[in-house]
Amino acid sequence: MASGQIYNVAARPPQPPATVAIIKDNAVNTSTMVSQAVEAVLGPGGIGNLVHSGNTVLLKPNIVSTANLAATDWHVVRALVDQIRAVNNGAAIYIGEGSASNSGGTTTKTIMTAQGYTAANFPGVTFLDFNNITESPTNTCVLADSVTGADKQ
């Protein structure tokens, strides 16, 4: 896809309720906890049911601001990246965010860094700032609302 294009996406039926997994791990073993949660949601084989060899993967955690507890903990995302690496044979992994807290010189990437999303914690992962259209050119998707049929961008 070239950037700046508009894509019309046909209406689709409302989606069924999502499957959610909550895992309590008293040892705070993040890797095991994430593995158990992914397998609970995706079934035996875990992330390998969704990601395959050669797939490029984009992860979009919730990174709102530099405030404490205002982001998906980087340890959880790192555990997921490790699982993805085990099945995608070195294909590209991206972590992208477009924080609404971009203002006064604060960028999504400075917020990501403050929350632990760094090259040291995620070697080989590319970070994207969705608010920076020079770095991450975007396209507009026109989606048909599944309830009303109205177009939404």
Side-chain angles (χ1 to χ4, degrees), residues 21 23-25 30-41 83:
I23 305 297
K24 181 178 180 181
D25 188 338
T30 305
S31 181
T32 299
M33 178 185 67
V34 169
S35 179
Q36 290 172 350
V38 169
E39 189 162 314
V41 171
Q83 288 185 28

Side-chain angles (χ1 to χ4, degrees), residues 60-65 70-72 95 97 99-100 111-112 115 117:
K60 196 278 182 204
N62 192 25
I63 306 173
V64 178
S65 75
T72 302
I95 296 175
E97 182 60 82
S99 176
I111 294 168
M112 291 172 92
Q115 290 290 3
Y117 290 84

Side-chain angles (χ1 to χ4, degrees), residues 35-52 83-84 86-87:
S35 179
Q36 290 172 350
V38 169
E39 189 162 314
V41 171
L42 298 177
I47 200 72
N49 295 323
L50 184 63
V51 177
H52 307 285
Q83 288 185 28
I84 292 166
V87 297

Side-chain angles (χ1 to χ4, degrees), residues 15-133:
Q15 298 299 299
T19 302
V20 176
I22 299 174
I23 305 297
K24 181 178 180 181
D25 188 338
N26 291 329
V28 191
N29 183 328
T30 305
S31 181
T32 299
M33 178 185 67
V34 169
S35 179
Q36 290 172 350
V38 169
E39 189 162 314
V41 171
L42 298 177
I47 200 72
N49 295 323
L50 184 63
V51 177
H52 307 285
S53 180
N55 285 160
T56 296
V57 177
L58 169 66
L59 299 173
K60 196 278 182 204
N62 192 25
I63 306 173
V64 178
S65 75
T66 58
N68 190 26
L69 301 177
T72 302
D73 186 278
W74 73 266
H75 296 92
V76 172
V77 178
R78 172 58 194 261
L80 187 56
V81 165
D82 291 343
Q83 288 185 28
I84 292 166
R85 282 192 171 132
V87 297
N88 84 344
N89 286 336
I93 299 174
Y94 297 89
I95 296 175
E97 182 60 82
S99 176
S101 296
N102 271 6
S103 65
T106 301
T107 67
T108 295
K109 284 200 174 170
T110 59
I111 294 168
M112 291 172 92
T113 298
Q115 290 290 3
Y117 290 84
T118 64
N121 291 334
F122 293 89
V125 171
T126 302
F127 296 98
L128 301 172
D129 179 350
F130 294 149
N131 292 328
N132 181 336
I133 62 170

